[in-house]
Amino acid sequence: MTRKRAAVVSFPGSNCDEDCVRALRTAMDADRVWHTARSLDAYDAIVLPGGFSYGDYLRAGAIARFSPVIEAVHAAAERGVPIIGICNGFQILLECGLLPGTMRKNVSRKFVCAPTTLVVARTDTVFTKAYDRLERIRIPIAHGEGNYYCDEETLRRIQHQIVFRYEDNPNGSVDNIAGIVNAAGNVLGMMPHPERAVDRWLGSTDGVRLMVALAAV
Amino acid sequence: MLWTAHIRVSVKQNVLDPEGQAVQRALHMLHFDSVTSVRVGTYVCVQCTANDEAEAMQRVSQMCDTLLANPVTEQYAIQLERVEAHDA
Amino acid sequence: MLWTAHIRVSVKQNVLDPEGQAVQRALHMLHFDSVTSVRVGTYVCVQCTANDEAEAMQRVSQMCDTLLANPVTEQYAIQLERVEAHDA
Amino acid sequence: MVERIATEPTPEDIDTHKLYARMGMTDAEYALVVQQLGRKPTYTEIGVYSVMWSEHCSYKHSKTLLRLFPTTGSRVLMGPGEGAGIVDIGGGRAVVFKIESHNHPSAIEPFQGAATGVGGIIRDIFSMGARPIALLNALRFGNPNDARVRYTFEHVVAGIAGYGNACGIPTVGGEVAFDEAYTGNPLVNAMCVGLIEHKHIQRGIARGVGNPVYYVGPPTGRDGIQGATFASEQLSEQSASMRPAVQVGDPFMEKLVMEACLDVIARGLVLGIQDMGAAGLTCSSAEMASKAGNGMELWLDRVPMREPHMTPYELMLSESQERMLFVTTPDRDEAVRDVFAHYGLDCVHVGVVTDTGYLTLKMDGHIVGHMPVRGLVDDCPIVEPPAEVPAYITREPTVYPPVTDYACVLHALLAHPTIASKEWVYAQYDYMVRTSTIVPPGSDAAVVRIPDTHTALAMCTDGNGRYVYLDPCIGGRIAVAEAARNVVCSGGQPLALTDNLNFGSPQKPDRYWQLQQAVIGMAQACTVLNTPVIGGNVSLYNEHEGKAILPTPVVGMVGLVHDLEHVTTIGWKNEQDVVFLLGDTYVEWGGSAFQAVVYETLEGTPPMLDLEVEKRLQDHVLACIQAGWIASAHDVSEGGLAVALAECAIAGNIGAKLTMPACALRPDEWLFSETQSRIVVSTTPVHAQVLMRHMQEAGVPIVCLGTVGGNDLVVGAGEECLIAEPVDALRTTWKGAIPCMMQR
Ligand SMILES: Nc1ncnc2c1ncn2[C@@H]1O[C@H](COP(=O)(O)OP(=O)(O)O)[C@@H](O)[C@H]1O
Ligand SMILES: [Mg+2]
């Protein structure tokens, strides 16, 4: 079997791109791809990493959504390619409509960096099949706008799309949402950083199974 | 012709505004007891050229729809002002 | 009497506004070529009681001076509106 | 012929009305400028001289003192003199670091002042060609009962977070202390650490006559003009209005400029590069020319401008942020432009390296300034002001009556914002980005892995102004020793340090004496502990309406962890582990947190520090850590032994049952005195004997205090119980203090 290859898209201001590449490489090949790329056809998986694309000016992800690469991301989403948006990447996926809802400032109105415990709500996605249902995993967060919001009607509709919930809600997200997938199940957005939980020196290895699952798609 | 558009982007009425609430609490702590509600949003001031007010309004609305406001949670209001030639 | 104050807080003219510049570049990227300048600030909508317009204005200015605007880098403008009794 | 700008005062006006005085220049300095030029300077020229000869750029009051620091060592690749110092760490790699202050801007606009301080120190690191891997800071604020102090604290922290987080550099450590003395004049010192391969090391040097000089970064505005001079004055009520415009940071721009500069450097396209920091274009151009022994001609009309009608004076003195100046060769023009274009940046050809030895400024073809580079950079008259021992200095030790409720005092100490948990602060910093942070904020030193190796760097900042106030020489020694001790406790071998000297006006003899004595004490410690000074910063005139801050040298120490397995943290680990105290304890109340909290005063003499004792302690603790005998290590500092023990318990989330050894001290003295050169270590029962024997043979005082276990911290003396507190209760006090203070 040939090794799978992931694209980690760098936007101006992305800053977790290198971390994602390093974490993915334990399981698969990974390249950094600059946001001006027009095609992502060569890749088996796509990661939109964390950071402050375009300085997070106006709203996080609002400007990145117009980068040339986003069309290719839409196309890949339609083809069923697994796509993960982490932190700022999640915000971008919301802004470009690949996932429902929106992100607002943390209720504390402060940036928060901390280890958190997530409860895995779904294990039947390509991303989470290596976890146990309702398993508690340790994955850190680092964001100022991670307060997930959608209206009640939407919340009812996406119940089945919720993949991760916070055990202790750190930012005010509705329904303790930390990560959701699209209806088709191939686009995942999550605020916590799995790439920061990949070896014992970092305090948790719970992110590794996500990387491995992605490589096995 | 040059126009100044004052754009007020704010959280929709039926959506909770935690930032506004935090500011309201802060104002009460500073003894501004007369305050009954606070909403916080973004103010964007755009200068642009257009042949007339209608065109300016149409352009600025389009900017709001595509970039400046998030349709899921935000609404916007535009006030236009003509900039006199010698200022431009 | 109840008043609505629309407060526009913006970066002072001679102070750098990186957010405004980033938004301006984005608007140009989206082919809004008519845009000549963008400043981004905060919009605060405060409802408060006051006996008359002058008092309302004085209260809201004070809120701006103490909390809502940073006097070193920001300026503000206030628009007042009377809220009709049945709305309040 | 040098022409003047029509709207500006004439050289004659400047002379007769002494306009130079407003720029902070003395009559004698002005006379020297006239002598250097052979004529009266124009407004532009006197502006350039005034910032180059300000304290901030010329170090005129501190240069002779800084020479006392040892600056060389077998690992030192570059000492003071460039943007940052460089230390070899083997494998063809080196670590680059520096600390810098942004005290005065932060006093006036806390968020932007702190943010731009971080931005500036990051540029110092990447302009050397190094990849920034970590940020630290040292902060001092006044009494938090004052609402303005809380505002400053909150916004300084937000400013540091806002900038560092967006640049993708983890803020991994630092310190925050509160004392009345900093009320009108907070301290904001930021430190950046970078990694570099030897072959990529850059210098800020304008090499090669005829080579083009480029400007990269955002356009120049009227930001912070005369900022360097401003940093050399004391604060007053007028300061706030004096500034036409504060500098605003744009971390997004910084990130792009950083990536682009590291890219052109890695491609070998650059001959010399320097950031435009204090005094902007003036300082960077003059220093680059000076280091090469060349001249430089700048075409100011080509400098990108944010506002119309900017004058040469404004362009030369502006401190707009995120700008860099670099020199390359003419044939690389296109390659350089391509790299910057990739990041969406323009670079502009703004001048040329000349052989004249002059800095020549042209605007629209007219010469508007022509000044000798050497004169600007090197010939600022050095001042050696008189020093005088302040009247408050005493040799009398302080004595206090015994306290009886030890737990109550312990809680009061833990609740003191200087000692309390700083989680409220560092939770706002992204301390994990770059996925190399092995020990996050909250231990003695932060530990950051060196990518692709099994080694790491330990780093911290330290400096206790209370000790320095009472005895600057001893206080200076302690600052260095404590920083090194923190690195050792984390498993690192101290390599070198950077320092920031935050003091009052050197023109007042008692304050100059504080500076002088502190430098002497620091230099002594550097020599004995074998940690040379590879760079630093001096911030004088830290006064508010005539009242000086506590004299506060801050030491930023970096150490090498030779193997990740050596990484050690403060928390107790396992039931049954044995707790030892290394080092002797004396009755030393002067400058202690006990004194601050219980008596709300600052008096007496600080703890003494025998450098040989300190060195022996550090060497042997490190050796035992490397031998694998130590489970946790924590140095005893503010709050004394009681606080150190509580912190070990809270961090490890486990209690201990301990006993005060029989000695001549009262329990409160043993618990709260701040005697130096002490470390609390724990070890598994298996290693307890060997550790004990090793220390005894080495001549390091060691006593066994008891064992780890249970949910309570219990300390007894003979039959008497001194402290018996649930660890949860201690944690609640310690963690809750700052959030509670900020909710007021
Ligand atoms: N307190 C100090 N201790 C050691 N070196 C210092 C100290 N202060 C300044 N230096 C060194 O003097 C040199 C000149 O500093 P300079 O480049 O003018 O500082 P900056 O870049 O902060 O404006 C630098 O290499 C700096 O590291
Ligand atoms: Mg420098």
Side-chain angles (χ1 to χ4, degrees):
Chain A
M1 202 180 79
T2 59
R3 228 168 124 80
K4 294 280 168 55
R5 177 172 291 270
V8 176
V9 180
S10 298
F11 298 89
S14 292
N15 62 33
C16 303
D17 40 358
E18 288 291 350
D19 299 349
C20 284
V21 167
R22 204 174 310 132
L24 284 163
R25 281 192 182 150
T26 58
M28 64 201 298
D29 291 336
D31 299 335
R32 261 179 72 194
V33 176
W34 192 234
H35 72 116
T36 48
R38 302 228 168 238
S39 163
L40 295 171
D41 291 349
Y43 295 98
D44 306 302
I46 296 166
V47 176
L48 306 189
F52 289 72
S53 58
Y54 294 92
D56 272 3
Y57 290 132
L58 204 58
R59 300 180 306 278
I63 301 179
R65 151 191 176 205
F66 296 106
S67 276
V69 76
I70 292 296
E71 257 178 63
V73 173
H74 274 283
E78 242 157 73
R79 283 202 312 277
V81 175
I83 299 173
I84 308 186
I86 301 168
C87 197
N88 196 232
F90 187 8
Q91 293 160 337
I92 295 169
L93 290 174
L94 294 172
E95 281 283 337
C96 64
L98 280 169
L99 290 172
T102 184
M103 223 34 107
R104 304 197 303 174
K105 272 189 201 157
N106 298 346
V107 278
S108 65
R109 294 197 298 157
K110 291 191 168 19
F111 189 96
V112 55
C113 177
T116 59
T117 300
L118 305 182
V119 181
V120 183
R122 269 188 69 180
T123 52
D124 59 342
T125 76
V126 292
F127 310 102
T128 53
K129 56 181 181 246
Y131 297 106
D132 293 328
R133 211 180 108 70
L134 299 186
E135 182 181 349
R136 282 166 171 66
I137 59 174
R138 296 286 285 168
I139 310 269
I141 55 164
H143 57 245
E145 289 178 49
N147 177 358
Y148 179 82
Y149 175 83
C150 63
D151 57 38
E152 279 172 26
E153 147 76 43
T154 312
L155 183 59
R156 230 171 295 127
R157 190 162 44 78
I158 65 164
Q159 275 302 308
H160 186 59
Q161 292 169 232
I162 300 170
V163 175
F164 299 115
R165 284 199 175 82
Y166 299 108
E167 192 170 65
D168 274 314
N169 193 334
N171 52 29
S173 292
V174 299
D175 206 4
N176 302 319
I177 287 175
I180 54 172
V181 285
N182 62 348
N186 69 315
V187 178
L188 167 68
M190 61 189 297
M191 286 314 289
H193 288 267
E195 83 280 10
R196 298 184 180 188
V198 293
D199 81 48
R200 73 178 172 106
W201 296 108
L202 300 175
S204 169
T205 54
D206 288 342
V208 171
R209 280 177 284 166
L210 200 155
M211 308 291 158
V212 171
L214 199 61
V217 170
Chain B
M1 272 192 278
L2 192 58
W3 301 83
T4 299
H6 302 283
I7 307 165
R8 308 193 298 229
V9 181
S10 57
V11 181
K12 285 182 185 163
Q13 268 320 315
N14 56 344
V15 175
L16 203 71
D17 174 16
E19 185 163 17
Q21 295 183 335
V23 172
Q24 182 169 350
R25 273 194 302 275
L27 285 171
H28 284 165
M29 235 155 57
L30 294 168
H31 307 296
F32 289 107
D33 303 319
S34 57
V35 173
T36 59
S37 124
V38 179
R39 312 280 289 176
V40 175
T42 311
Y43 163 58
V44 187
C45 178
V46 171
Q47 289 215 333
C48 73
T49 55
N51 291 320
D52 54 40
E53 185 161 346
E55 190 182 51
M57 185 55 94
Q58 185 244 323
R59 282 193 181 157
V60 176
S61 308
Q62 216 187 327
M63 293 176 206
C64 290
D65 292 333
T66 40
L67 178 70
L68 302 179
N70 177 345
V72 181
T73 46
E74 295 176 330
Q75 60 193 9
Y76 60 86
I78 301 169
Q79 286 180 323
L80 277 179
E81 234 172 61
R82 169 107 190 259
V83 182
E84 295 310 319
H86 60 269
D87 292 352
Chain C
M1 270 191 278
L2 191 60
W3 302 83
T4 299
H6 301 281
I7 306 165
R8 307 192 300 229
V9 181
S10 57
V11 180
K12 281 184 188 165
Q13 262 325 311
N14 56 349
V15 174
L16 177 69
D17 175 16
E19 183 157 21
Q21 301 202 327
V23 172
Q24 182 170 350
R25 278 194 301 271
L27 286 172
H28 285 165
M29 201 167 75
L30 294 170
H31 307 297
F32 289 106
D33 302 321
S34 58
V35 173
T36 59
S37 124
V38 179
R39 312 283 285 178
V40 176
T42 313
Y43 162 59
V44 187
C45 179
V46 171
Q47 289 214 335
C48 73
T49 55
N51 292 319
D52 54 39
E53 183 161 347
E55 191 183 51
M57 184 55 96
Q58 186 243 324
R59 282 194 181 156
V60 176
S61 307
Q62 217 188 324
M63 294 177 206
C64 291
D65 291 334
T66 45
L67 183 74
L68 303 178
N70 175 345
V72 184
T73 51
E74 294 176 329
Q75 60 195 10
Y76 60 87
I78 301 170
Q79 286 179 325
L80 277 180
E81 240 173 55
R82 169 102 191 261
V83 182
E84 294 310 320
H86 59 270
D87 292 353
Chain D
M1 207 338 247
V2 176
E3 299 174 44
R4 85 179 176 93
I5 305 299
T7 53
E8 289 174 349
T10 64
E12 282 67 34
D13 283 344
I14 294 168
D15 190 345
T16 43
H17 301 297
K18 300 198 174 187
L19 298 184
Y20 52 83
R22 270 196 256 157
M23 301 179 184
M25 285 196 108
T26 64
D27 291 345
E29 287 167 349
Y30 176 76
L32 191 64
V33 171
V34 175
Q35 188 196 326
Q36 273 193 13
L37 296 179
R39 59 182 165 80
K40 290 174 184 167
T42 64
Y43 194 73
T44 306
E45 289 172 329
I46 196 69
V48 166
Y49 269 101
S50 75
V51 292
M52 286 303 295
W53 289 7
S54 70
E55 186 66 40
H56 193 85
C57 295
S58 73
Y59 294 90
K60 56 188 164 194
H61 287 95
S62 54
K63 217 175 210 163
T64 40
L65 294 178
L66 296 181
R67 293 203 184 103
L68 298 173
F69 285 144
T71 58
T72 55
S74 54
R75 286 181 180 269
V76 177
L77 299 178
M78 198 177 289
E82 283 290 335
I86 308 184
V87 181
D88 180 32
I89 51 171
R93 292 196 189 187
V95 56
V96 182
F97 57 92
K98 167 118 187 256
I99 192 166
E100 201 152 274
S101 64
H102 237 207
N103 304 340
H104 289 188
S106 305
I108 285 166
E109 216 308 279
F111 184 97
Q112 293 298 344
T116 53
V118 172
I121 195 64
I122 293 172
R123 288 192 293 284
D124 268 329
I125 300 308
F126 75 71
S127 67
M128 307 299 295
R131 160 68 61 181
I133 61 158
L135 290 163
L136 300 96
N137 53 70
L139 311 177
R140 299 289 183 281
F141 303 98
N143 185 338
N145 291 331
D146 180 337
R148 172 74 199 178
V149 168
R150 293 198 302 273
Y151 174 90
T152 304
F153 171 48
E154 175 161 19
H155 287 81
V156 162
V157 170
I160 291 173
Y163 207 99
N165 295 356
C167 287
I169 305 168
T171 302
V172 298
E175 38 154 21
V176 190
F178 298 83
D179 191 293
E180 197 73 53
Y182 303 103
T183 295
N185 193 128
L187 300 184
V188 176
N189 294 179
M191 171 171 166
C192 186
V193 181
L195 280 177
I196 194 169
E197 289 183 34
H198 292 189
K199 62 175 189 277
H200 287 148
I201 293 175
Q202 298 297 310
R203 293 189 60 205
I205 179 167
R207 264 189 276 231
V209 172
N211 277 334
V213 177
Y214 286 85
Y215 169 114
V216 66
T220 299
R222 296 186 170 95
D223 306 328
I225 287 172
Q226 215 86 40
T229 317
F230 174 68
S232 311
E233 285 168 359
Q234 44 168 299
L235 289 169
S236 67
E237 289 307 327
Q238 277 100 57
S239 305
S241 55
M242 210 182 82
R243 323 254 27 217
V246 291
Q247 300 126 280
V248 169
D250 182 357
F252 172 54
M253 180 60 77
E254 177 100 339
K255 169 81 172 153
L256 294 175
V257 171
M258 172 172 78
E259 296 301 338
C261 287
L262 289 174
D263 199 343
V264 283
I265 290 169
R267 290 168 199 261
L269 295 173
V270 165
L271 288 179
I273 181 164
Q274 187 160 336
D275 61 299
M276 293 187 226
L281 197 47
T282 292
C283 193
S284 50
S285 59
E287 285 189 2
M288 286 185 78
S290 158
K291 279 180 231 166
N294 282 328
M296 192 182 286
E297 184 172 303
L298 291 176
W299 311 315
L300 296 176
D301 44 292
R302 293 207 192 176
V303 171
M305 296 176 213
R306 200 170 77 224
E307 295 164 46
H309 317 303
M310 289 189 64
T311 65
Y313 170 87
E314 291 169 332
L315 290 165
M316 288 305 289
L317 269 62
S318 162
E319 293 191 359
S320 289
Q321 301 291 297
E322 292 98 22
R323 302 175 304 158
M324 304 288 292
L325 199 67
F326 68 93
V327 172
T328 180
T329 55
D331 59 307
R332 292 173 183 160
D333 178 89
E334 205 182 313
V336 165
R337 280 177 198 282
D338 284 349
V339 174
F340 284 106
H342 175 80
Y343 296 92
L345 300 170
D346 280 336
C347 60
V348 186
H349 182 185
V350 294
V352 62
V353 179
T354 66
D355 61 2
T356 60
Y358 271 71
L359 179 63
T360 306
L361 309 177
K362 282 191 177 169
M363 186 89 172
D364 302 318
H366 304 281
I367 297 178
V368 297
H370 190 62
M371 298 152 281
V373 166
R374 288 228 25 198
L376 279 172
V377 177
D378 296 326
D379 292 351
C380 172
I382 296 300
V383 190
E384 280 183 68
E388 194 181 288
V389 185
Y392 68 81
I393 295 287
T394 165
R395 298 278 157 225
E396 292 297 309
T398 321
V399 284
Y400 294 122
V403 294
T404 44
D405 191 340
Y406 310 108
C408 172
V409 172
L410 175 56
H411 276 285
L413 287 167
L414 291 174
H416 185 12
T418 299
I419 291 177
S421 166
K422 301 305 181 305
E423 188 180 1
W424 185 91
V425 175
Y426 63 71
Q428 297 181 54
Y429 302 150
D430 185 350
Y431 53 81
M432 300 187 224
V433 65
R434 298 189 58 76
T435 53
S436 299
T437 309
I438 309 287
V439 178
S443 207
D444 275 341
V447 179
V448 178
R449 174 164 56 189
I450 300 170
D452 311 317
T453 71
H454 210 60
T455 61
L457 295 170
M459 52 193 76
C460 66
T461 58
D462 275 293
N464 185 327
R466 290 173 58 85
Y467 299 158
V468 182
Y469 175 83
L470 294 178
D471 185 331
C473 181
I474 292 183
R477 270 190 228 158
I478 292 177
V480 173
E482 186 179 346
R485 206 186 300 139
N486 280 324
V487 163
V488 164
C489 286
S490 304
Q493 172 202 348
L495 292 175
L497 64 86
T498 176
D499 70 291
N500 208 333
L501 302 172
N502 305 280
F503 284 77
S505 167
Q507 290 163 10
K508 298 178 185 159
D510 53 341
R511 301 196 183 153
Y512 183 72
W513 180 83
Q514 293 174 331
L515 174 66
Q516 178 197 60
Q517 295 300 308
V519 169
I520 290 172
M522 292 166 78
Q524 291 168 345
C526 291
T527 304
V528 175
L529 299 178
N530 195 16
T531 51
V533 176
I534 62 159
N537 179 251
V538 176
S539 171
L540 306 180
Y541 304 97
N542 287 291
E543 306 197 359
H544 183 70
E545 324 221 291
K547 269 182 59 196
I549 58 161
L550 295 178
T552 312
V554 170
V555 171
M557 182 75 71
V558 175
L560 183 59
V561 180
H562 293 273
D563 186 325
L564 287 183
E565 302 295 340
H566 301 164
V567 171
T568 304
T569 54
I570 70 173
W572 287 328
K573 300 290 178 298
N574 304 302
E575 301 260 348
Q576 300 307 323
D577 279 0
V578 185
V579 180
F580 292 99
L581 172 63
L582 308 178
D584 288 325
T585 306
Y586 307 98
V587 184
E588 294 180 307
W589 293 129
S592 66
F594 174 89
Q595 184 182 63
V597 168
V598 178
Y599 291 95
E600 293 181 10
T601 156
L602 176 54
E603 60 186 10
T605 57
M608 60 160 188
L609 184 82
D610 181 327
L611 286 165
E612 296 301 334
V613 169
E614 179 75 39
K615 171 80 171 143
R616 201 175 316 131
L617 172 81
Q618 292 190 14
D619 285 351
H620 289 283
V621 168
L622 186 59
C624 292
I625 285 176
Q626 289 172 342
W629 300 338
I630 289 185
S632 76
H634 184 21
D635 76 314
V636 179
S637 62
E638 279 154 325
L641 182 61
V643 165
L645 295 173
E647 288 168 344
C648 295
I650 294 168
N653 196 20
I654 191 165
K657 209 166 168 353
L658 311 174
T659 312
M660 176 179 165
C663 65
L665 297 176
R666 292 187 332 224
D668 60 336
E669 293 165 345
W670 186 69
L671 286 170
F672 304 118
S673 166
E674 291 185 13
T675 302
Q676 296 296 301
S677 310
R678 292 184 300 163
I679 296 177
V680 175
V681 299
S682 69
T683 177
T684 58
V686 183
H687 292 128
Q689 282 306 320
V690 61
L691 177 73
M692 187 111 166
R693 212 173 323 118
H694 179 99
M695 290 301 178
Q696 281 165 348
E697 277 165 18
V700 176
I702 178 167
V703 289
C704 177
L705 299 182
T707 54
V708 174
N711 297 323
D712 302 334
L713 177 65
V714 180
V715 186
E719 292 301 292
E720 190 189 357
C721 173
L722 305 177
I723 292 172
E725 287 289 300
V727 177
D728 284 345
L730 297 172
R731 182 187 298 104
T732 303
T733 300
W734 179 75
K735 267 202 165 181
I738 289 182
C740 175
M741 158 184 128
M742 294 311 288
Q743 248 155 35
R744 264 182 288 176

